[in-house]
Structures are given as structure tokens and as C-alpha cells.
Amino acid sequence: MGYHRRVERKYTLVDVRPNPQATDLAGLAGRLLSELRARRPLVQNITNYVSMDIAANALLAIGAAPAMVHAPEETPQFTPIAGALVVNIGTLSAATAKAMQIAVDVAHKVGTPWLLDPVAVGPMDFRNGVVLDLMKARPAILRGNASEIIAVARLAGLTQTKATPRGTDSTNTTSEAQLFCIELARHFGCTVVATGEVDVATDGQQVVRLANGSPLMTKVTALGCSLSSVMGGFLAIAPTPLEAAIAALAVYGVAGDMAAETARHPGSFRVAFIDTLDAITPADITGRLKVIA
Amino acid sequence: MGYHRRVERKYTLVDVRPNPQATDLAGLAGRLLSELRARRPLVQNITNYVSMDIAANALLAIGAAPAMVHAPEETPQFTPIAGALVVNIGTLSAATAKAMQIAVDVAHKVGTPWLLDPVAVGPMDFRNGVVLDLMKARPAILRGNASEIIAVARLAGLTQTKATPRGTDSTNTTSEAQLFCIELARHFGCTVVATGEVDVATDGQQVVRLANGSPLMTKVTALGCSLSSVMGGFLAIAPTPLEAAIAALAVYGVAGDMAAETARHPGSFRVAFIDTLDAITPADITGRLKVIA
Amino acid sequence: MGYHRRVERKYTLVDVRPNPQATDLAGLAGRLLSELRARRPLVQNITNYVSMDIAANALLAIGAAPAMVHAPEETPQFTPIAGALVVNIGTLSAATAKAMQIAVDVAHKVGTPWLLDPVAVGPMDFRNGVVLDLMKARPAILRGNASEIIAVARLAGLTQTKATPRGTDSTNTTSEAQLFCIELARHFGCTVVATGEVDVATDGQQVVRLANGSPLMTKVTALGCSLSSVMGGFLAIAPTPLEAAIAALAVYGVAGDMAAETARHPGSFRVAFIDTLDAITPADITGRLKVIA
């Protein structure tokens, strides 16, 4: 009961537009980086406790304004003034699930674009139910690792394939997840991003694959969560969610490459990575972005 | 409906004693720094999730003993043995608001001095109500950025001026906030601190303005929150809240200057700043403190 | 009413097997380090908010897979698939206490070994009650500082001696706590670890004392908590809890020594320490481990 047959029955890869050129994408990412720094968008994060420090620091370093407002009493007044909302279910509880639902309903109603990071979705029923409920409020972007994306596709009834995560680790590749990204994007009308050795982003029509980044990025906790937050920063200022996703992936991947040139272990890599988010220029992206055809 | 008229009607700046000399203030800060290290005060923090790591590390680096105890079941036994209590409403919820109120009521009753950091007060009614309730338990120090101080003054009925924060960012200057600091200090009988490019501290009679620190300090999340925690450390051992405020501002500002000499981006700046809190000496403060007349 | 008399009445130190040789212990620790890296155990942490970042980063650096899953709705499905569970009561609340109890009951039932870090036990009745309840679900390892271990021994009715902690600081030495470690290990049938200048580990029969580590380790918040998490990583793969404890203590102590050779202040020490957890080899442990006879 593989996913290939299901996908092929509904639409083929011929439907998907060819991958844009690297120079175009690098130029896009560089322009959006400059615009983000100029506009300093306010990004609301309802995120897990592990990621709060690094997510806020990544947003500050890139040039956005983080806010960690989550209380149900406050989101009705705050989400409408935020440029984007990032919802990350890492350390989920019944209380935070409720707070997330209230915030995304507000976001959906007032038009604040929002992103869902479905951390560790798959093995636990409670978490799976929360993710399905959140998807109904129409995220602009769904971002996860390959195992998480496959798990969401299964929850949505798009496949029988079972992801095999280990905690927050993916044991699947983004190549395996790519068709699910496309299916999910079409099913929910959103942009879907699967990150890994190769990052995949698609709005259901166009697929972009980027290959920057360092293995050290998986040795710093919540660096993926902080990417979701930074992607929220781009979501606040980009013309489309797909362009926001591409810009965030490009910045993160290239910054990872650059930081890995000065740091060889995870403690100093984290420091170098935050420094690089502050220092990175559009020219760095142009010079280093690796786009896979 | 400016605030100048209101202030002038009630009292004029002639009431305020002239700014002490820099050498006096540097000497004061240096002596209190040595005393804090000798006495290692126990500082209870009920603070936001983003700041917990850096606040505890800042307290350890400066020489105090941090404790993050917040449960309503525990504060009645813990707050009486703490040297000071720091309440920071960053990631507020109904549950934490209740825990804060119980702790400050205990502090008020048993005489543990406490500090309020009213993070992001202003735009959200729930948060504003919590701040007003907390103020009734008489903090020794109120510390915020300029927008937060103006917002508290408005909540207290001392002005019609509306602050214009963006999330946790201030869009007001401390010069704008200075008279509100004085009004709030007199109204609530506490010391009020507004931090920014110029830091202002006043007990309602004396006003001190310090001008140390680096713009990099605004690129590290929760560094302001960690200042509140360190100010709590000085509050536990200083003769008066104003002296505690001055010492904490002096140490933080000078440490910021020193760290900015070795680090140019926020990741490494954070590391250098914590290192400097550990290494800073009274002589560093004497040699570097910038007091504005 | 000293504890010496009580202990001597029940059993004497003659019951305790002599301390193994340093080379044996270093070899054991090195082998378990290699095995941990090869097997990458999934370690569930229900831990305090201050420690989440550093605990997850320490686990990633050493080679384990951290998961911060704590919701009562999720632990029944997650704890059975975790290699070990670490419960740390630092920022305790009624809600987290309930979540911990549910998780340890699952762990006890399905055989997932678990470790208790009874942070700041002693002065607060609520916390003491939670610790006693948790102990009933039979941790494989109890790890605390000397004051915490003495406090647990008192709670368990094994002594009248009162520990004198200051917040999370110990004011007792592990020499004072050693006999309580033995008593507790025998009473609860678990391994007990008291960390400090000298680290003590015992299963009630054999006592191991190690003397590595740097005073800078006490200036980084939650480094002790992160040791508990890493000990949980070893617990998932070691033949016995005592061997897991010895391996974790050896790795942490030697890594502390190594990091202190490159960093002299707490900010950079933290970075160097995480780097060292990633870089440390069995040969480093063999070359540096200090075992006290």
C-alpha cells in the first residue's frame, strides 16, 4: 500500500512546474531578507519550552521582533496586531493545545498568516488530534521533518504509509516525503515544507529543493523550531507563503554552511549560527545557495 | 493632553534633587557588587519561559543564587526565605498571574522586597489588569522599558498619553518616560527604572541617568528580563531600592560596553556578556560609568 | 542526633565493597559512552523550564535523542517507547507533579527505567510530598546534591538530620551525604548519586567516588539537571543503574575538567562544555578520571 500509487492516481509530477533557477531563488531570498530587516515584523510564537530561547534569539538576530504571547486571554487582542503567528506543538499539553486553537482561529478570522510546526506528530493520539484540529484553521505554511510530514499526510487520509519517527528525529528522508508535501499542499491549500539533508518546499504546483546546511544543525536542540519561527518572520512580509518558505530555508541553510566553517562542535556552532543570522548578507546567499533541479 | 501639564501641576522638577556625581555612583555600585558577591543572596524569580535560562545564568555569574519557584503551593514557604522576589509577566497566563499574586502578597506581608517587570504591558487588557493588581502589593522597584513605564502610568491614571510598544520593543525613549517614572515613584512609593539608550532610575526625589550599554543588548532575547533578576539580587542586599537599581544598571551597562569590545554579533555577545558579569570588578565600573547630569 | 549512630546501628561500612580501580571504571565509562553513541537512546525528560535547553543540548551532544514529552495525555503512549525517563522537579507545580506521577507509574509498569532529580527538596512541604510519592514508583536512580540527598533520607524516615540547602545550592558535602546515599539505596532498592566536589554513587553495596569537575560547573545554571538527563541516556543502555551513574559522572567530570582548560568564565565555559560532550573520547576518560579510594 505504497504512497506512489495513490499519488500517481490523483496527479503526476508533470503537474508540477519545473524547479526555478538558483540565481532567481537566491535573489528572491536576498531581497526578502533585506525587506524583513527593514520592516522588522512582529512574530507571535506559541512554541515549546525547549525552543523559546533559541527561537526568540534567531528572530532577533535575523531582524524580526519576537513575541511569546500564548494566553487565551491575550491572543484575541495580540494575534490581530502580529505580522504572523507560529504554532509549534513540541511540549504540548491540554492547556497549550486550547491556547493554540484559540489563537489560530483568531488568525484565520483576521487574516494573520500562520505556520504550523507539528513536532513529533505521529505516535501519540492526543497530538495527532490537535494537529488535525489546527489544520482546519488553514495554516499558510506547514513545516516539519520528513517523518512528521508523512504522519500528517496519513492523519489527513492521504496515505496509509506510516512514518517512523524516533522522538523528534526523522527516520525518513525528504525524498520520501516530497510527494506527500505536494498532496498536503493541494489538500489543505497551503505551502508545505519538509526539512532535512535536502529541504523541500511546495505550494502544490511548484517544488523547490535546496541542499545547504550542516549536520551540526541536528545537534543543536530546537534549531528546526527556530527555523519555523524565522519562516514566520518571512511569512509576515513575503508576497506568498512559498516565497517566505524559500527565503527562510535559503537563509538558514547558507547560515548553517557559514557557521560550520568556524565551529566544529554544537556548543560553539550554536553561537556561530546566531552570529551568522545577524551577519549574513544577500551576497552570501547568492554565492552559496545550492538548488537541486 | 500631554503629560507635561499634568506633571507640572502636581510638582515641578525643582523638587528633584540634582544628579549625584559619577564617582559617587560608581563607588556605590562597586561596593554593592562586592557585597552581593560576599553575601550571595537567594533571589526568587517568577519569570517568563524565554528568560529563565539567561536570568538564572546572569544571577549565577554576578554571584547571586537564583531560584525559579513559582507554584502557589510553594511560595508561602519559599518567599519568606528569599532575599528578594522578581516578578516578570512576559509569558503571562491565568495560572501564572495567580501564582504571582500569591507570591507578592506573601512578600508584602513578610517584608521580602520585590521587583515588578511589566513586560509588554499596554496593548492587552488582561495583562494590564494583572499589572494593576500586582502594583497594589507594593513593589520596591518597577522596571520596564520606556513604553512599558508610560503604559503603567496611564493604567494608574497618571496620564492620558498612550505608549506605542511593538511587542516587547519600546518605541518611546526614556527621556519621554522620565517624568512618568517620577510620578509613578511618588504615586506608588517605589523606585522606578526605565531602561533604554539612557537608563533612568528614580525614587521620586532623586533621579539618576546612566548612559552605558551597547545596541547589541537589544539583540539578545530577555537580556532586559535578566537585568530585572540581577536588580533583584542587589535589592536583597542594598540599603535602599534606588541604590539597588543604580548598582544593577551600572554593572549591566558597563558589562555591556566591555562585552561589545570583544563580540560583534548577538550569539557571541551573549556569551561574552555572561563572562563579563563574572569577571567585572568595581574598578571597571569606576573607569567606565557614564552618568548624565 | 547525628546520622552516624543510626547508620552504624543498621549496617557498617564493612558491608560495602571496596571501591573499584580507576582503570576499571574509566574503561567501563568509555565502553558505555561508545555504546550510547552507537545506540542513540531516546530519553524522555519531564524537567524544569530552566533546564530544558541545556538538558536537550547535552543529550544531543553526547549522542542521545532527547524528548521533552510531559502531558498526561501523551505519557501513556510515549514512556513505553522511551529508553529511559528523567523526572526533575525544579519548577514544580500541581500540574507537573500530576504529569510526573502518571509518567513514572507507566514507567514502573512497562519497565522503562527512570531517574529522579529531587531539585530543592527539603524546605517546602508540597515538594517533599511529591518526592515521597514519586519514590514509591521505584526510580532506578536518585540523583541530587548533598543537601537534597540528606533531605530525602529525612523524608524517608532514615535520619533526623536536617539538610540546610539554600535554594538549589547544597550547603552540605557529599562526604556528609555518603552514608545517606547507602541507606537510601538499600531502603528503596535503587542507585543513589550525590554530586559535588566529590561525586558519590552507590547501589547500597558498592560505593564509587569520583573527583573530577570544575567549580565553573556550579556557575552554569541547570548543569546538574543536564547531568541527570545524560545519566538517563546511560540508564537506557547500561547493564545496571550503578554503571549508568558511573559512566555519566565520569563523562561529566572529565568534560568539566577539559572545558575548564579552555574557558575561564561561565558563558564561554557552557559553550566549551557542550563542545566537549560532543568531542570527548574514551581515551580522554582513561587519561583523566580521578577515582578516590
Side-chain angles (χ1 to χ4, degrees):
Chain A
M1 201 63 236
Y3 63 80
H4 293 290
R5 195 173 48 184
R6 281 188 60 87
V7 170
E8 283 158 18
R9 193 179 42 198
K10 289 169 74 183
Y11 31 69
T12 68
L13 269 176
V14 179
D15 295 337
V16 178
R17 278 185 275 149
N19 201 326
Q21 299 300 309
T23 48
D24 292 353
L25 293 183
L28 168 73
R31 283 192 304 277
L32 290 177
L33 175 61
S34 300
E35 190 169 340
L36 183 146
R37 285 173 175 161
R39 289 174 57 185
R40 192 171 164 74
L42 180 61
V43 183
Q44 181 185 1
N45 299 269
I46 305 183
T47 188
N48 68 74
Y49 300 116
V50 188
S51 73
M52 284 199 181
D53 178 294
I54 197 166
N57 275 307
L59 282 165
L60 284 173
I62 201 70
M68 270 61 185
V69 172
H70 55 86
E73 293 85 357
E74 302 205 317
T75 46
Q77 287 185 295
F78 194 82
T79 305
I81 62 173
L85 165 67
V86 175
V87 172
N88 176 309
I89 63 167
T91 50
L92 195 63
S93 70
T96 53
K98 190 182 152 198
M100 289 169 182
Q101 193 64 53
I102 292 171
V104 300
D105 288 343
V106 171
H108 184 59
K109 193 174 153 199
V110 303
T112 300
W114 71 281
L115 178 151
L116 177 61
D117 187 337
V119 178
V121 70
M124 288 173 283
D125 298 333
F126 175 71
R127 190 167 293 238
N128 295 346
V130 169
V131 167
L132 272 185
D133 286 343
L134 290 170
M135 290 301 292
K136 290 177 191 154
R138 299 275 162 188
I141 301 178
L142 172 71
R143 188 211 74 83
N145 64 34
S147 290
E148 289 158 353
I149 294 300
I150 295 171
V152 177
R154 182 181 162 94
L155 287 176
L158 301 177
T159 180
Q160 300 297 320
T161 300
K162 202 162 176 179
T164 52
R166 282 192 78 238
T168 61
D169 292 351
S170 181
T171 57
N172 303 94
T173 67
T174 54
S175 297
E176 292 174 68
Q178 180 168 325
L179 288 184
F180 296 122
C181 290
I182 297 167
E183 282 213 62
L184 282 166
R186 291 178 179 188
H187 185 79
F188 288 104
C190 66
T191 286
V192 177
V193 179
T195 49
E197 263 189 82
V198 172
D199 298 324
V200 174
T202 180
D203 59 1
Q205 303 304 323
Q206 190 168 322
V207 177
V208 170
R209 296 192 298 162
L210 304 175
N212 294 84
S214 157
L216 275 169
M217 298 173 88
T218 64
K219 295 210 111 187
V220 177
T221 199
L223 207 67
C225 301
S226 74
L227 166 59
S228 289
S229 290
V230 165
M231 203 174 278
F234 282 103
L235 184 58
I237 58 105
T240 67
L242 181 61
E243 288 165 291
I246 293 166
L249 291 173
V251 167
Y252 251 59
V254 170
D257 289 344
M258 293 168 70
E261 288 170 8
T262 63
R264 289 173 44 223
H265 297 293
S268 47
F269 179 80
R270 174 181 173 155
V271 173
F273 184 77
I274 295 290
D275 279 355
T276 306
L277 289 184
D278 182 55
I280 194 171
T281 66
D284 292 323
I285 299 171
T286 303
R288 290 169 178 266
L289 193 66
K290 296 179 196 153
V291 180
I292 297 182
Chain B
M1 200 65 233
Y3 63 81
H4 291 290
R5 197 174 43 185
R6 281 187 62 86
V7 171
E8 283 158 19
R9 194 180 40 198
K10 288 169 76 184
Y11 31 70
T12 69
L13 270 175
V14 178
D15 295 338
V16 178
R17 277 187 275 149
N19 201 327
Q21 299 301 308
T23 47
D24 292 353
L25 294 183
L28 169 72
R31 284 192 304 278
L32 290 177
L33 175 61
S34 300
E35 190 169 340
L36 183 146
R37 286 172 174 160
R39 291 174 56 186
R40 192 171 164 74
L42 181 61
V43 182
Q44 181 185 1
N45 298 270
I46 305 183
T47 189
N48 68 75
Y49 301 116
V50 188
S51 72
M52 283 199 184
D53 178 293
I54 195 167
N57 276 306
L59 281 165
L60 284 173
I62 202 70
M68 270 61 184
V69 172
H70 54 85
E73 292 84 357
E74 301 205 316
T75 47
Q77 286 185 295
F78 194 81
T79 306
I81 62 174
L85 165 67
V86 175
V87 172
N88 176 310
I89 62 168
T91 51
L92 195 63
S93 70
T96 53
K98 190 183 152 197
M100 289 168 182
Q101 192 66 53
I102 291 171
V104 299
D105 287 342
V106 171
H108 184 59
K109 193 174 152 197
V110 302
T112 300
W114 70 281
L115 178 152
L116 177 62
D117 187 336
V119 178
V121 70
M124 288 173 285
D125 297 333
F126 176 69
R127 190 167 294 237
N128 295 346
V130 170
V131 167
L132 272 185
D133 285 343
L134 290 171
M135 290 301 291
K136 288 177 192 155
R138 299 273 162 189
I141 300 179
L142 171 71
R143 189 210 73 84
N145 64 33
S147 290
E148 289 158 353
I149 294 299
I150 295 171
V152 177
R154 182 181 162 94
L155 287 176
L158 300 177
T159 180
Q160 299 296 321
T161 300
K162 203 162 175 180
T164 53
R166 282 192 80 237
T168 60
D169 291 352
S170 180
T171 57
N172 303 94
T173 67
T174 53
S175 296
E176 291 175 70
Q178 181 167 324
L179 288 184
F180 295 121
C181 291
I182 298 167
E183 283 213 60
L184 281 166
R186 292 179 178 187
H187 186 79
F188 287 105
C190 66
T191 285
V192 178
V193 178
T195 49
E197 265 189 79
V198 172
D199 298 325
V200 175
T202 180
D203 59 1
Q205 302 306 321
Q206 191 168 321
V207 177
V208 170
R209 295 192 298 162
L210 304 175
N212 294 83
S214 156
L216 276 169
M217 297 173 88
T218 65
K219 294 210 112 187
V220 177
T221 201
L223 206 67
C225 301
S226 74
L227 166 59
S228 289
S229 290
V230 166
M231 202 173 281
F234 283 102
L235 185 57
I237 58 104
T240 67
L242 181 60
E243 288 165 291
I246 292 166
L249 291 172
V251 167
Y252 251 59
V254 170
D257 290 344
M258 293 169 70
E261 287 170 10
T262 62
R264 289 172 45 221
H265 297 292
S268 46
F269 179 80
R270 174 180 171 154
V271 173
F273 184 78
I274 295 291
D275 279 354
T276 306
L277 289 184
D278 183 53
I280 194 171
T281 65
D284 291 322
I285 299 171
T286 303
R288 290 169 178 264
L289 192 66
K290 295 179 197 154
V291 180
I292 297 183
Chain C
M1 198 67 233
Y3 63 81
H4 292 289
R5 195 174 46 185
R6 280 187 61 87
V7 171
E8 283 158 18
R9 194 178 42 197
K10 290 169 74 182
Y11 32 70
T12 70
L13 270 175
V14 178
D15 295 336
V16 177
R17 276 186 276 149
N19 201 327
Q21 297 302 308
T23 48
D24 292 353
L25 293 183
L28 168 73
R31 284 193 304 278
L32 289 177
L33 174 62
S34 300
E35 190 169 340
L36 183 146
R37 285 172 174 160
R39 291 176 55 186
R40 192 172 163 74
L42 181 60
V43 182
Q44 180 185 2
N45 298 269
I46 305 183
T47 187
N48 68 74
Y49 301 116
V50 188
S51 72
M52 285 200 181
D53 179 292
I54 196 166
N57 276 306
L59 282 164
L60 283 173
I62 202 71
M68 270 61 184
V69 172
H70 55 85
E73 292 85 357
E74 302 206 315
T75 47
Q77 286 186 296
F78 194 81
T79 304
I81 62 173
L85 165 68
V86 175
V87 172
N88 175 310
I89 63 168
T91 50
L92 194 64
S93 70
T96 53
K98 190 182 153 198
M100 289 167 182
Q101 192 65 53
I102 291 170
V104 299
D105 287 344
V106 172
H108 184 59
K109 192 174 153 198
V110 302
T112 300
W114 72 280
L115 178 151
L116 176 61
D117 187 336
V119 179
V121 70
M124 289 173 284
D125 297 333
F126 176 70
R127 188 166 295 237
N128 295 346
V130 169
V131 167
L132 273 184
D133 286 343
L134 290 170
M135 291 300 292
K136 289 175 193 157
R138 298 274 163 189
I141 301 178
L142 171 72
R143 189 210 73 84
N145 63 34
S147 290
E148 289 159 353
I149 294 300
I150 295 171
V152 177
R154 181 181 162 93
L155 288 176
L158 301 177
T159 180
Q160 299 296 319
T161 300
K162 202 162 176 178
T164 52
R166 282 192 79 237
T168 60
D169 292 352
S170 180
T171 56
N172 302 95
T173 67
T174 54
S175 296
E176 292 174 68
Q178 180 167 324
L179 288 184
F180 296 121
C181 291
I182 298 167
E183 282 211 61
L184 282 166
R186 292 178 178 186
H187 186 80
F188 288 104
C190 65
T191 285
V192 178
V193 179
T195 49
E197 266 189 79
V198 172
D199 299 324
V200 175
T202 180
D203 59 0
Q205 302 306 321
Q206 189 168 322
V207 177
V208 171
R209 296 192 298 161
L210 303 174
N212 293 83
S214 156
L216 276 169
M217 297 174 88
T218 64
K219 294 211 111 185
V220 176
T221 200
L223 207 68
C225 301
S226 73
L227 166 59
S228 289
S229 290
V230 165
M231 203 173 279
F234 283 102
L235 184 59
I237 58 105
T240 67
L242 181 61
E243 287 164 293
I246 292 166
L249 291 173
V251 167
Y252 251 59
V254 170
D257 289 344
M258 293 168 71
E261 287 170 9
T262 64
R264 290 173 44 223
H265 297 292
S268 46
F269 178 81
R270 173 181 173 155
V271 172
F273 184 78
I274 295 291
D275 279 355
T276 306
L277 289 184
D278 183 54
I280 194 170
T281 65
D284 291 322
I285 299 172
T286 304
R288 291 170 178 264
L289 192 66
K290 295 180 196 153
V291 179
I292 297 184

